[in-house]
């Protein structure tokens, strides 16, 4: 199953467009990026994007990054990485994606901080923080199911415990099928069987909403 890719951002204390202009200038001056600015993109005022297409040597094909400013979050710049082809796996793993951001964006940010006498840092959430989690009251029911389950072919009693988990678990935002499959795989289910069970989980949740 593919890794979750981290939402990367840079906290700033200046107007977003000023930050983007300075970063674009630094990237262009470095001689290793082709820079493209798209302000008020998609017809949205203050939705600004700077594309940084890397022109140096890289294990990835046509790799680059995007700096994105959204008026709904003026104190933060989102960082997204792109490549026509990632070297080891496509889509990239968490580690590959994070490393590309550090390799391409961090040096530009260091130059920005040096010139502007600031201490802006790029924040990349830890991999474990991206994994789905259950509320404490749901975790107990989930563990009762997974610890006792025959993980290659669920017994009728296993299904009963699974139904109990779905019925009694109170989650504000329901887990997606992908998130449920990931939780099951962490407990030892194969990817194929986890996806089958997560599909049943989704149907049960939909039925539960109608009750």
């Amino acid at each position: 199953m593919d890794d979750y890719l981290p939402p990367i951002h840079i906290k700033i204390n200046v107007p977003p467009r000023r930050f983007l202009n300075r970063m674009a200038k630094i990237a262009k001056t470095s001689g290793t990026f082709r820079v493209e600015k798209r302000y008020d993109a998609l017809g949205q005022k203050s939705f600004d994007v700077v594309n940084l297409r890397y022109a140096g040597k890289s294990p990835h094909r046509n790799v680059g990054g995007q700096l994105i400013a959204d008026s709904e979050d003026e104190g933060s710049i989102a960082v997204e990485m792109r490549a026509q082809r990632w070297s080891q796996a496509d889509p990239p793993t968490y580690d590959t994606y994070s490393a590309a951001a550090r390799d391409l964006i961090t040096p530009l940010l260091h130059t920005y901080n040096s010139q502007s006498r600031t201490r802006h840092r790029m924040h990349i959430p830890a991999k474990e923080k991206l994994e789905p989690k259950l509320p404490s009251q749901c975790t107990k029911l989930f563990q009762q199911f997974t610890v006792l389950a025959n993980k290659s072919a669920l017994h009728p009693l296993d299904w009963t415990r699974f139904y109990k988990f779905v019925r009694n678990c109170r989650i504000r935002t329901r887990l997606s099928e992908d998130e449920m499959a990931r939780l099951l795989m962490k407990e030892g289910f194969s990817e194929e069987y986890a996806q089958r069970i997560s599909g049943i989980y989704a149907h049960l949740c939909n039925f539960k909403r109608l009750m």
Side-chain angles (χ1 to χ4, degrees):
M1 185 168 285
D2 297 335
D3 284 354
Y4 285 127
L5 299 183
I8 305 174
H9 68 271
I10 303 168
K11 288 292 184 182
I12 59 173
N13 56 10
V14 297
R17 192 168 288 185
R18 183 188 304 174
F19 177 85
L20 293 180
N21 281 331
R22 289 178 180 175
M23 287 288 281
K25 183 178 180 181
I26 291 168
K28 188 174 182 179
T29 302
S30 73
T32 55
F33 289 92
R34 297 190 303 275
V35 180
E36 181 182 86
K37 293 191 286 187
R38 295 189 176 181
Y39 291 168
D40 297 328
L42 304 175
Q44 299 181 36
K45 185 175 177 57
S46 299
F47 184 76
D48 298 338
V49 180
V50 170
N51 293 319
L52 303 173
R53 306 184 190 279
Y54 188 60
K57 292 184 178 180
S58 171
H60 317 297
R61 185 187 302 170
N62 295 335
V63 68
Q66 289 182 311
L67 304 179
I68 304 170
D70 191 333
S71 59
E72 294 183 1
D73 189 3
E74 293 186 355
S76 181
I77 299 294
V79 178
E80 296 186 10
M81 305 308 295
R82 299 280 189 271
Q84 185 178 352
R85 181 70 182 178
W86 296 94
S87 62
Q88 296 178 336
D90 210 342
T93 64
Y94 168 93
D95 291 333
T96 298
Y97 186 85
S98 301
R102 293 189 182 97
D103 291 344
L104 270 62
I105 307 301
T106 298
L108 301 178
L109 193 57
H110 283 167
T111 301
Y112 178 99
N113 286 331
S114 177
Q115 293 179 356
S116 304
R117 297 184 179 180
T118 53
R119 295 184 178 180
H120 297 317
R121 292 184 178 181
M122 187 167 61
H123 175 70
I124 304 177
K127 185 176 182 180
E128 56 270 20
K129 290 188 177 181
L130 303 177
E131 293 296 323
K133 292 180 177 61
L134 290 167
S136 57
Q137 73 272 21
C138 299
T139 299
K140 182 178 180 180
L141 293 169
F142 186 71
Q143 289 177 341
Q144 286 176 355
F145 160 65
T146 57
V147 169
L148 298 173
N150 180 340
K151 294 180 174 62
S152 59
L154 292 183
H155 184 279
L157 292 178
D158 295 333
W159 283 113
T160 298
R161 284 186 284 269
F162 182 68
Y163 299 150
K164 182 180 178 181
F165 155 70
V166 178
R167 182 189 65 191
N168 295 315
C169 186
R170 301 288 185 266
I171 307 179
R172 243 178 229 183
T173 303
R174 192 186 84 195
L175 295 178
S176 67
E177 288 187 43
D178 177 68
E179 290 171 326
M180 177 52 62
R182 295 181 86 90
L183 288 175
L184 291 167
M185 289 170 62
K186 286 177 67 175
E187 297 300 325
F189 288 86
S190 69
E191 182 174 353
E192 181 180 358
Y193 203 32
Q195 289 177 341
R196 177 186 167 191
I197 296 171
S198 65
I200 295 171
Y201 162 81
H203 284 295
L204 290 173
C205 288
N206 289 334
F207 175 76
K208 182 178 168 182
R209 285 192 305 173
L210 298 175
M211 295 178 63

